[in-house]
Amino acid sequence: MTVQYIESPQNPKIRSLARLKKKNERWQKRRFLVEGEQLVRDLLESELCIETLVLLSTRQRDFSALELLSGYKKIEHVWEVSEQAYAFVSDTESSQGILAVAVWPEEKTRPQYPEHVLLLDGLQDPGNVGTLIRSAEAFGVQEVCCGIGTVDFLSPKVVRAAMGGLFRLSVVGEALSVYIEEWKRCYPGGHVIAAQADAERMCHDVSLTAPTLLVIGSEAHGISASLLHLIDETLSIPMQKTVESLNAAMAGSVLLYEMYRQRLTQIL
């Protein structure tokens, strides 16, 4: 595999990669940045294609970086770059000197909606979105749908917070009202639930073993008014009265765990 050296941050190839830090550019090219050794390893082990691997010039000689290159034929290009060029592309303050450009696949017509799905309604904090993608994978949810107004799930901060979950889980972007209506046609007996701090029913008092859509609303405004008529039930999480509420990532993760726990109990 040939390694190309690039010195200048003004090189057209470097400038093209740097533009992937913008949402419009990412989706126009269906390319996104993955930075950090562990995330690149997770990416290499996934089914996603890697267009370019970029190594800081001092890292190219490092054994662990070189190890990534061996045995992986699906990398199209490998660039060794100067510190200035790498900094122009990097989105982190303390970089590990390795990043990849991944290809996001074109959407395919789905034969069936998954039984258990997490819907994110207008979440703006990339850390919360990434954490919820990670929790969805951990607790057996088959798909995450990011609604209009939710931060771009291919943004570098979401990718880092998801800790590889984005590469292994089905994640889509779609209008949530359309998604819910189509899902309900597949599962007429399914439930659409949402987290709400003042809901009367606690999450452990409701059966969540049937096909379930879990909707998590935005940090500032909760569930969108346009979705409320599609929600079958709102649930609260039992906790100490001294705490008013949990943030979106924590509340969603607790409910995802409760869904998973109930399904496990049913199997056992």
Side-chain angles (χ1 to χ4, degrees):
M1 183 178 294
T2 303
V3 179
Q4 179 184 1
Y5 179 74
I6 299 177
E7 174 73 29
S8 172
Q10 301 306 315
N11 183 289
K13 293 179 178 179
I14 296 298
R15 294 179 67 85
S16 177
L17 294 194
R19 286 195 291 270
L20 292 177
K21 289 187 278 188
K22 298 181 179 180
K23 178 181 178 180
N24 290 342
E25 193 77 12
R26 286 193 293 270
W27 284 103
Q28 182 179 346
K29 296 182 177 180
R30 299 193 79 85
R31 304 290 188 273
F32 66 103
L33 298 174
V34 176
E35 188 166 4
E37 184 169 320
Q38 186 56 53
L39 278 179
V40 171
R41 288 183 183 276
D42 289 341
L43 176 64
L44 286 165
E45 292 171 0
S46 76
E47 296 182 357
L48 295 180
C49 294
I50 297 93
E51 185 174 73
T52 306
L53 186 67
V54 181
L55 299 170
L56 186 62
S57 56
T58 54
R59 272 303 302 274
Q60 204 272 335
R61 300 173 186 83
D62 183 81
F63 174 78
S64 59
L66 287 173
E67 186 186 41
L68 286 172
L69 303 182
S70 62
Y72 291 105
K73 297 180 180 180
K74 62 179 180 178
I75 302 175
E76 295 183 28
H77 309 287
V78 180
W79 300 344
E80 179 186 0
V81 303
S82 67
E83 289 187 10
Q84 294 82 0
Y86 189 92
F88 194 70
V89 178
S90 175
D91 188 67
T92 62
E93 293 182 5
S94 301
S95 173
Q96 296 179 351
I98 182 169
L99 63 84
V101 179
V103 180
W104 191 253
E106 297 287 342
E107 295 180 8
K108 299 178 181 178
T109 303
R110 64 173 75 240
Q112 176 81 3
Y113 281 78
E115 290 189 5
H116 299 92
V117 183
L118 173 65
L119 305 186
L120 305 183
D121 178 25
L123 273 68
Q124 287 297 297
D125 187 304
N128 283 344
V129 172
T131 297
L132 284 166
I133 291 173
R134 185 182 184 189
S135 294
E137 181 191 18
F139 298 128
V141 166
Q142 295 117 342
E143 185 163 271
V144 176
C145 180
C146 298
I148 297 170
T150 294
V151 67
D152 180 22
F153 60 82
L154 295 184
S155 73
K157 291 181 180 178
V158 173
V159 173
R160 289 196 298 274
M163 296 294 288
L166 185 67
F167 314 146
R168 297 181 291 266
L169 191 65
S170 173
V171 183
V172 299
E174 194 173 324
L176 296 189
S177 58
V178 174
Y179 192 103
I180 293 173
E181 289 169 355
E182 291 297 324
W183 184 88
K184 281 188 169 183
R185 289 190 182 96
C186 292
Y187 304 103
H191 300 289
V192 181
I193 64 171
Q196 185 171 308
D198 59 355
E200 292 185 3
R201 299 195 72 183
M202 299 289 185
C203 58
H204 57 270
D205 291 331
V206 178
S207 175
L208 302 175
T209 55
T212 304
L213 283 185
L214 170 61
V215 185
I216 300 297
S218 75
E219 299 87 346
H221 307 293
I223 304 297
S224 299
S226 60
L227 297 182
L228 291 177
H229 71 287
L230 297 171
I231 305 296
D232 296 319
E233 189 153 27
T234 57
L235 303 177
S236 59
I237 298 168
M239 56 187 175
Q240 296 292 323
K241 294 181 179 179
T242 52
V243 179
E244 183 178 347
S245 63
L246 302 174
N247 72 12
M250 292 185 68
S253 295
V254 170
L255 291 177
L256 288 168
Y257 167 73
E258 179 60 23
M259 290 167 56
Y260 184 60
R261 184 195 66 79
Q262 290 190 22
R263 297 201 305 277
L264 280 181
T265 302
Q266 186 182 48
I267 294 172
L268 296 175

